Amino acid sequence: MQLEQPSERLFTSFQRSMFEWQGAHQDGAGIRDAAALETESGFAEWVKQLRAEETIPAAEGFVTCSYYWMVEDDEYLGSIALRHELNDFLRSFGGHIGYSVRPSARRRGIAARALRSMLAIARDRGFAEVLLTCDAQNLASRRVIEGSGGRPENEVTNAAGSVIQRFWITTDTEAAEPSR
């Protein structure tokens, strides 16, 4: 598995992934209008927008962001994003890094490998540490975060009443290695 910038060439694979998600939210994917992604032209426009967000926020209230896709043998497996700054919402509920792995690709260590790679990217961009969050019910994501050196800070409750756990991870190389 490697991280790649979003690419039009993965349209068909991405469509298969969307079917698996059945409309569920994909953190770190940057999807704002899933219906627009059903055509190759809409998908191409979205890929272009994701790449532009590296320097220009998507809209008022958004931040600049680097998107990467988890890819193996030309198959889209998931998304991971590095938000370059935190607004009030991200500071409480979203963090610097968000990720999701398509259902058929889970339980293979893909999220952990992607997060370790993203920590190196964050370090190269000048981040000494990054904030990650996960729903308290998402034990798999918590294991990925803690296994990558995540230190719990606190828990907050979002507007929907879900408990969100907040973690900090240093981006130095030792902390970016998997826990044994």
Side-chain angles (χ1 to χ4, degrees), residues 144-166:
V144 167
I145 294 168
E146 290 179 332
S148 296
R151 301 176 317 277
E153 181 178 61
N154 64 358
E155 294 181 344
V156 295
T157 303
N158 67 16
S162 296
V163 175
I164 306 298
Q165 297 175 321
R166 301 173 74 248

Side-chain angles (χ1 to χ4, degrees), residues 18-76:
M18 290 291 284
F19 180 77
E20 291 178 27
W21 282 96
Q22 299 179 357
H25 173 71
Q26 297 178 49
D27 196 23
I31 299 171
R32 295 175 192 90
D33 180 7
L37 306 181
E38 294 175 3
T39 66
E40 285 190 64
S41 62
F43 185 81
E45 282 300 311
W46 176 61
V47 165
K48 183 178 168 183
Q49 173 63 41
L50 292 179
R51 288 174 169 244
E53 288 181 40
E54 184 94 27
T55 56
I56 303 167
E60 181 75 28
F62 286 81
V63 299
T64 53
C65 186
S66 298
Y67 292 95
Y68 292 90
W69 288 353
M70 303 167 207
V71 178
E72 183 177 75
D73 297 327
D74 281 339
E75 189 68 23
Y76 170 88

Side-chain angles (χ1 to χ4, degrees), residues 129-144:
E129 62 181 0
V130 291
L131 174 66
L132 279 84
T133 67
C134 69
D135 188 289
Q137 301 298 314
N138 190 340
L139 299 178
S141 189
R142 180 184 177 134
R143 282 192 296 272
V144 167

